[in-house]
């Protein structure tokens, strides 16, 4: 669902960038107010895990399309909505800057569509009210599927709205909306099952991590064990399973190809902002289109470092303020 700059006008992109930046600032504020020291290492490794998992595109039978998990509901369930949103935004930033996955001008839209709609809307409105851990497997699965489907459907609606509001493409709004929501319904089902599988594993192995406010009370040894498990899983997925990912176009590319005959939508309107964003992204993207067998490992490590650096800085400022 990563949008390219070709879908967006400069005004729509700027509004989305401001909205996304405001939510990130609020997420940092909320994290600073919550004394969950043990959350920092878990945020980093879960970000690396989601980055790796996003590289594994699974085929949607009978469509010629593929999808991958977004991870917002999973991150919110493990970390809380604001920490989960901040972690997923870090994943999207690394994907954009290092791998040219999604346009730089469209980064704000992608953070809103994939991060906010899942971690800040679908999780608190649908997942959290319906599920309290520990819970039976059927309920974890049902609620995970519901929340993931709704989160992705909201994201698909946002993509359609942003594209139509931009008015720089010839994509017919009605058909584009139906294609986007239809294919992301299927992708959401797959993500929901994957999310449930991870949560059920955590419920069996480290149940305290899924209880409200329990991360700060979890022993360092317990958090360290969880970090090791998810770090190993991220390495396995990024270094092995990602190589088996489907090459079919993702949901957004598939929807565009159904309307235009090609997955590559050329920019119809070039602005100074889009030109500058394209030049900046070209300079930062050292592995465009993940064109290296080490891309998954490199990306996961970079997400880990970015999340730890950002959250460490946020909490350091909190401590400094408390001492003052």
């Amino acid at each position: 669902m990563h949008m390219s700059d070709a879908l967006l006008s400069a005004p729509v992109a700027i509004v989305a960038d401001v909205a996304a930046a405001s939510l990130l600032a609020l997420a940092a504020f909320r994290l600073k107010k919550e004394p969950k020291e043990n959350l920092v290492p878990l945020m980093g490794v879960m970000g690396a895990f989601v980055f790796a998992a996003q590289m594994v595109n699974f085929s949607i039978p009978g469509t010629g399309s593929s999808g991958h998990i977004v991870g917002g509901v999973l991150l919110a369930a493990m970390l809380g909505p604001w920490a989960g949103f901040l972690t997923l935004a870090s994943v999207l930033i690394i994907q954009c800057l290092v791998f040219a996955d999604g346009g730089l001008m469209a980064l704000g839209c992608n953070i809103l569509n994939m991060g906010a709609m899942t971690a800040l809307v679908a999780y608190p409105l649908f997942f959290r009210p319906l599920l309290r851990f520990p819970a039976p497997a059927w309920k974890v699965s049902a609620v995970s599927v519901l929340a993931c489907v709704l989160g992705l459907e909201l994201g698909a609606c946002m993509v359609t709205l942003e594209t139509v509001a931009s008015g720089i493409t010839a994509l017919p709004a009605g058909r584009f909306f139906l294609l986007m929501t239809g294919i992301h319904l299927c992708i959401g089902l797959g993500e929901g099952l994957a999310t449930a599988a991870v949560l059920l594993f955590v419920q069996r192995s480290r149940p305290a991590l899924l209880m409200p406010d329990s991360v700060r009370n979890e022993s360092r040894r317990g958090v360290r064990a969880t970090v090791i498990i998810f770090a190993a899983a991220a390495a396995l997925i990024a270094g092995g399973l990602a190589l088996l990912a489907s090459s079919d176009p993702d949901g957004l590319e598939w929807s565009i190809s159904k309307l235009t005959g090609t997955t590559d939508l050329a920019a119809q309107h070039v602005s100074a902002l889009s030109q500058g964003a394209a030049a900046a992204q070209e300079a930062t993207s050292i592995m465009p289109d993940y064109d290296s067998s080490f891309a998954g490992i490199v990306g996961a490590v970079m997400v880990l470092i970015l999340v730890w650096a950002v959250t460490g800085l946020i909490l350091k400022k909190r401590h400094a303020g408390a001492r003052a």
Side-chain angles (χ1 to χ4, degrees):
M1 201 189 296
H2 294 75
M3 295 183 75
S4 69
D5 292 346
L7 294 170
L8 295 171
S9 65
V12 171
I14 291 172
V15 170
D17 289 341
V18 171
S22 299
L23 286 175
L24 288 172
L26 181 57
F29 175 79
R30 293 293 296 267
L31 187 65
K32 186 166 61 173
K33 292 296 182 181
E34 298 177 3
K36 297 182 179 180
E37 306 297 340
N38 290 330
L39 194 59
V40 177
L42 196 60
M43 285 176 65
V45 77
M46 287 304 300
F49 176 79
V50 166
F51 176 91
Q54 284 196 13
M55 294 190 67
V56 184
N57 280 49
F58 52 87
S59 295
I60 309 299
T63 65
S65 177
S66 68
H68 61 72
I69 76 163
V70 171
V73 172
L74 173 62
L75 290 173
M78 292 284 295
L79 308 170
W82 291 106
F85 172 69
L86 190 62
T87 302
L88 184 51
S90 300
V91 172
L92 296 170
I93 289 169
I94 292 296
Q95 288 173 335
C96 175
L97 294 180
V98 179
F99 302 99
D101 192 359
L104 180 56
M105 191 176 76
L107 181 57
C109 287
N110 288 328
I111 290 175
L112 292 177
N113 302 344
M114 289 185 278
M117 292 303 105
T118 56
L120 300 183
V121 179
Y123 173 77
L125 294 184
F126 301 105
F127 186 97
R128 188 163 58 187
L130 296 175
L131 186 64
R132 289 289 184 271
F133 294 98
W138 70 266
K139 190 171 185 179
V140 174
S141 301
V143 175
S144 295
V145 167
L146 175 64
C148 289
V149 166
L150 291 172
L152 263 65
E153 291 287 71
L154 288 170
C157 291
M158 289 287 289
V159 170
T160 306
L161 178 62
E162 291 152 359
T163 302
V164 172
S166 294
I168 63 171
T169 70
L171 297 175
R175 291 179 60 197
F176 186 44
F177 171 79
L178 290 175
L179 288 167
M180 283 290 292
T181 54
I183 197 64
H184 284 93
L185 170 62
C186 301
I187 296 172
L189 292 171
E191 173 166 5
L193 294 174
T195 297
V198 175
L199 292 178
L200 287 170
F201 168 78
V202 175
Q203 182 174 253
R204 286 193 299 268
S205 59
R206 305 300 307 174
L209 295 177
L210 297 176
M211 307 303 174
D213 298 325
S214 63
V215 174
R216 61 184 172 188
N217 299 320
E218 180 77 341
S219 69
R220 290 188 177 182
R221 179 178 297 180
V223 172
R224 188 182 304 119
T226 304
V227 167
I228 292 172
I229 291 171
F230 277 98
L236 175 63
I237 295 170
L241 293 181
L243 301 178
L244 305 176
S246 171
S247 59
D248 291 335
D250 68 14
L252 177 55
E253 294 171 337
W254 177 86
S255 298
I256 292 172
S257 70
K258 286 293 183 180
L259 298 173
T260 65
T262 178
T263 58
D264 296 320
L265 189 64
Q268 302 296 315
H269 177 74
V270 178
S271 64
L273 179 61
S274 63
Q275 289 180 317
Q281 188 175 40
E282 184 177 358
T284 62
S285 55
I286 58 175
M287 292 183 181
D289 299 320
Y290 307 95
D291 60 356
S292 168
S293 57
F294 298 103
I297 297 294
V298 171
V301 171
M302 294 184 77
V303 169
L304 184 77
I305 293 172
L306 177 61
V307 173
W308 281 354
V310 170
T311 53
L313 180 62
I314 292 170
L315 295 179
K316 183 178 180 180
K317 287 184 176 180
R318 187 194 73 197
H319 292 319
R323 287 195 298 270

